[in-house]
Amino acid sequence: MDDEIINLKMGKNALSSTYNVFTLDSGESMLELLDEILPDLILLDVKMPKIDGYEAIPYFIK
């Protein structure tokens, strides 16, 4: 999750040959996706509008 498009593209390019990569630009989008899939790894940007990386952590830790 990142709000910078270039960071999303770089991350996807670096990892997509080996992993299924979902790039998201908001915490809200991440929460919606977590209703459908449970990823093995989540990379978060800690400085995001509305829901930042730190605030998002409790939503997916069970």
Side-chain angles (χ1 to χ4, degrees), residues 20 35 41-42:
N20 294 326
D35 286 338
L41 175 68
I42 299 174

Side-chain angles (χ1 to χ4, degrees), residues 31-49:
L31 296 177
E32 290 174 14
L33 185 62
L34 288 175
D35 286 338
E36 299 174 27
I37 65 163
L38 181 60
D40 293 325
L41 175 68
I42 299 174
L43 300 175
L44 300 169
D45 183 352
V46 296
K47 287 188 156 189
M48 296 282 296

